[in-house]
Amino acid sequence: MKVPDAKIIYDSLKALGLTRAQVRKILPDWWSPEAEKHADGVAELCVLVARRLSLDVSALMKGEIRQKPFATAVAYKHRADATPQSLQASTSVATSLAHAVVASMNTTYTGISSRPEVFAAKAKEVGNGVVSLYSLVEACWSIGVPVIPIPNLPLGIRKMDGAVIRVGDRPAIIISKKKSSRAWLAFIVAHEIGHIGCGHLERDGSIIDVSLQEQATYEVESSSDADEREADNYALTLLGGTAVEHAIESWPEWASPVDLAVRAREKSHELGVESGQMVLRYAFKTKRWPDSMAALRFLSEDADAEELMKSTLQRNLDLDRVADDIRDLVCKITGIDA
């Protein structure tokens, strides 16, 4: 097969919204553009790119973009001003990472109950009696569902907030949202767990939650998508449900940020949910966003969400079992150490 010039390959990748510079950011550090001057080098470029973007390598060698069959069944949710095409690049990378991580796992996937109370009990088992970002992620890994943060996509690539990608019979959760608050990321993780528990995935399919904006997160009635409402309701129940609602009803609307933080912390273990979740629920109830965000900053236990996600992946993922040709991308995009 005659391989086209590297320029034709790069031009074809513009269909995914990728520039030459962005493509090179996902290539191995050892890759040299000098290799692209020769047919063998261009062929190797195609193999590397196809592996990282879930593309058919034979089509790419002809300058054509054709996704692998497992990467074609994608449902985009909460699109707002984003088009599916604008999310293709991040979706392709996320899909490749999900397949690489799942292939390295030896834990059997045991399923997620359609009842959020059941998963909450599992999270509390590993989280000292509290449903939190830490306990949700650890509970997922314990039942064979990897939770993969991807904070380091190349600059300029449009990102989703979260996603669920099915690899064979196993779902993988992707978190791309960059937030320091554990409560915010806990909701996104819980929402993706909800998609799985509610049976929204097709075999080898994906659900991409483009933008879980505030009004679509806690005000579930604002969503016109039935699956999103169901996943939101699952997440809210998983994160304390009516017990949290009843607790914050007694909080005064004039409470200071420090007072809000103290009240949330006092109720955390009693209700079995991390303190930040109560502050967020209070914010949506009262619309006192500046004071509520200040309250979150007083909660030291709500900080360093991204570091928690990264360290949990590092601890649960056996990099020696990840394929050699994709291991560098896993480390680069997730931020874990090689």
Side-chain angles (χ1 to χ4, degrees), residues 130-133 181-184 218 239 244 248 251 260-269 271-282 292 295-296 298-303:
V130 175
V131 178
S132 63
L133 177 62
S181 168
R182 298 189 183 195
W184 277 114
Y218 285 95
L239 295 168
V244 172
I248 65 174
W251 294 5
L260 291 174
V262 170
R263 289 172 183 270
R265 185 172 283 156
E266 288 175 346
K267 282 287 185 179
S268 178
H269 277 277
L271 299 181
V273 63
E274 61 185 340
S275 53
Q277 289 297 329
M278 286 176 276
V279 173
L280 286 182
R281 206 78 68 91
Y282 177 85
S292 297
L296 283 180
F298 282 116
L299 294 171
S300 58
E301 64 269 30
D302 189 58

Side-chain angles (χ1 to χ4, degrees), residues 308-319:
L308 182 151
M309 295 284 292
K310 186 173 71 172
S311 62
T312 305
L313 175 64
Q314 185 93 56
R315 186 171 63 256
N316 283 283
L317 178 62
D318 184 355
L319 275 173

Side-chain angles (χ1 to χ4, degrees), residues 172-238:
I173 293 174
I174 301 289
I175 302 298
S176 183
K177 184 76 170 180
K178 292 179 71 69
K179 278 277 190 181
S180 62
S181 168
R182 298 189 183 195
W184 277 114
L185 292 193
F187 179 84
I188 297 176
V189 173
H191 179 94
E192 306 309 335
I193 292 170
H195 277 308
I196 301 168
C198 294
H200 297 160
L201 285 180
E202 298 177 353
R203 180 177 178 82
D204 288 333
S206 305
I207 294 175
I208 309 297
D209 285 304
V210 178
S211 181
L212 291 170
Q213 298 294 344
E214 288 83 352
Q215 67 272 18
T217 299
Y218 285 95
E219 296 177 2
V220 295
E221 69 277 5
S222 68
S223 175
S224 60
D225 187 304
D227 283 357
E228 290 304 286
R229 289 198 304 272
E230 197 171 13
D232 280 346
N233 279 315
Y234 188 107
L236 291 174
T237 302
L238 177 54

Side-chain angles (χ1 to χ4, degrees), residues 324-336:
D324 293 343
D325 65 331
I326 202 77
R327 188 181 303 151
D328 65 292
L329 183 70
V330 172
C331 293
K332 183 181 295 187
I333 302 299
T334 65
I336 64 175

Side-chain angles (χ1 to χ4, degrees), residues 80 154 201 287 305 322:
L201 285 180
K287 312 302 180 187
V322 176

